[in-house]
Amino acid sequence: MTYCVGLCLKDGLVFLSDTRTNAGVDQIGTFRKMTLFQNKDRFFTLMSAGNLAITQSVKEILLQGQLFKGKNLWTAKNSYEAAVLVGDAIKQVYERDHAALEKSGLEFNCNMIFGGQVKGEKPRLFNIYSAGNFIEATPETCYFQIGESKYGKPILDRVLNFNTPLNLATKCALISMDSTLKSNISVGLPLDMLVYEKNSLKATKLVTLDDANPYFAMIHQAWGEKLREAFNSIAEPSWSGAHKSSDISTPAKKMGIVPINHPPSKVKVQKATRTTKATPVKKAAKKVVPKKATAKKK
């Protein structure tokens, strides 16, 4: 499995991906899911999730600079046009492989987070689907996740917004990843992280983290401890109503409590049987015995 998260913020972009792939408990591999594209007037990052054979093929098509309608990532006019080209590469792999995958009982599974900047425009971030279509991040929805996303989502929703500074966003992304690592064995170290500063057009802050990285080790330990501290600091529920702030027995405004059902009483059962009409019994027909003939007197 995979977990990748991309953030699009006022000051730049943050990309974070794990490197674990597995097809079973004893089939675990390490494959890099982040790919960087850099030229003098552009910088792009691609992160992938899904069938590894599919995502590697898409990545190779893009790296080779294959032309789609005369364009590739190195010649695209803007980031939107570059995202269209990533979608075109996905469609090409689909046309080549989907029939064989279907015969083997496999789905065409491929998701991408793609983002970066072309000189003269703002940094942009896209979530590209298996069909090759995509959506773009906005200030209201400033992050995308692919892969095993549910464990790392709560911290992003509570902390992150478009104006979050890059350093704070970096910490938020790492906590999101740590929560996923803790709850899902199919996501694993090492991690690839890029913090892209707006208008730099280069990888100014790029790092691969493993369990020996001091900052990530501190995040892992401190986040667990702070969660337990926060949990223990919250008051326990009061059923007696003695403490209004923690009174859990206060009735809800729009709905009553769940009714409790009991088995019907014996009296009701007996009454039910008495009132039940018995099926009428057919009377047996009387046998007609023929009379003996009397002898006539002479």
Side-chain angles (χ1 to χ4, degrees):
M1 199 58 184
T2 297
Y3 178 48
C4 300
V5 57
L7 318 178
C8 184
L9 308 171
K10 176 175 64 73
D11 298 326
L13 302 163
V14 177
F15 299 90
L16 179 63
S17 62
D18 81 314
T19 56
R20 175 167 292 181
T21 61
N22 68 297
V25 178
D26 58 349
Q27 292 289 329
I28 297 174
T30 300
F31 290 89
R32 184 154 269 159
K33 300 162 191 175
M34 180 183 291
T35 307
L36 306 180
F37 305 82
Q38 181 178 337
N39 201 0
K40 58 183 179 180
D41 65 341
R42 66 198 58 218
F43 186 90
F44 296 127
T45 302
L46 179 73
M47 297 189 297
S48 59
N51 185 304
L52 187 62
I54 295 170
T55 58
Q56 284 189 342
S57 293
V58 172
K59 179 182 73 174
E60 191 61 27
I61 288 171
L62 297 171
L63 286 171
Q64 290 179 2
Q66 182 175 320
L67 296 176
F68 294 93
K69 298 180 181 178
K71 298 176 183 177
N72 59 26
L73 289 186
W74 314 109
T75 60
K77 293 180 181 178
N78 51 52
S79 297
Y80 178 87
E81 198 170 82
V84 172
L85 293 169
V86 176
D88 288 340
I90 293 173
K91 292 173 187 175
Q92 179 175 307
V93 177
Y94 176 83
E95 290 298 323
R96 187 191 71 190
D97 293 346
H98 83 277
L101 288 169
E102 288 177 2
K103 286 181 180 179
S104 300
L106 300 174
E107 294 183 0
F108 187 87
N109 182 15
C110 170
N111 287 296
M112 306 276 189
I113 292 177
F114 176 77
Q117 186 176 20
V118 174
K119 190 175 182 179
E121 68 168 2
K122 65 182 181 179
R124 301 172 76 175
L125 186 71
F126 303 88
N127 189 1
I128 306 177
Y129 303 109
S130 294
N133 58 335
F134 55 84
I135 58 174
E136 183 175 359
T138 65
E140 297 76 27
T141 304
C142 61
Y143 74 87
F144 290 130
Q145 299 169 286
I146 54 175
E148 195 60 64
S149 60
K150 55 184 176 290
Y151 303 106
K153 193 173 189 297
I155 183 64
L156 299 174
D157 289 337
R158 288 181 180 273
V159 172
L160 202 67
N161 62 66
F162 181 69
N163 295 312
T164 303
L166 284 180
N167 256 6
L168 186 60
T170 299
K171 178 171 68 172
C172 183
L174 287 171
I175 292 174
S176 174
M177 179 64 76
D178 179 70
S179 300
T180 307
L181 291 170
K182 181 70 174 176
S183 299
N184 194 313
I185 195 173
S186 68
V187 178
L189 298 168
L191 310 175
D192 288 326
M193 169 169 268
L194 168 68
V195 179
Y196 173 79
E197 296 174 329
K198 182 173 64 175
N199 299 327
S200 64
L201 299 178
K202 58 184 178 181
T204 55
K205 296 177 180 176
L206 176 64
V207 63
T208 297
L209 305 94
D210 58 15
D211 53 5
N213 184 280
Y215 185 74
F216 188 70
M218 182 274 293
I219 284 278
H220 178 73
Q221 182 177 357
W223 182 242
E225 291 175 354
K226 296 299 181 183
L227 279 178
R228 285 188 290 272
E229 288 177 13
F231 175 79
N232 291 328
S233 68
I234 297 172
E236 295 180 9
S238 171
W239 293 94
S240 63
H243 303 284
K244 290 184 178 180
S245 62
S246 58
D247 183 12
I248 199 173
S249 58
T250 302
K253 294 180 180 179
K254 293 186 178 180
M255 188 178 259
I257 60 173
V258 180
I260 301 174
N261 299 297
H262 301 281
S265 63
K266 293 181 180 179
V267 178
K268 290 182 179 179
V269 173
Q270 288 174 357
K271 285 183 179 179
T273 53
R274 285 176 186 172
T275 56
T276 304
K277 292 182 179 181
T279 53
V281 179
K282 293 182 180 180
K283 293 182 180 180
K286 291 183 178 180
K287 292 182 180 180
V288 179
V289 181
K291 294 180 180 180
K292 294 181 179 181
T294 53
K296 291 181 179 181
K297 293 182 179 180
K298 291 182 179 180

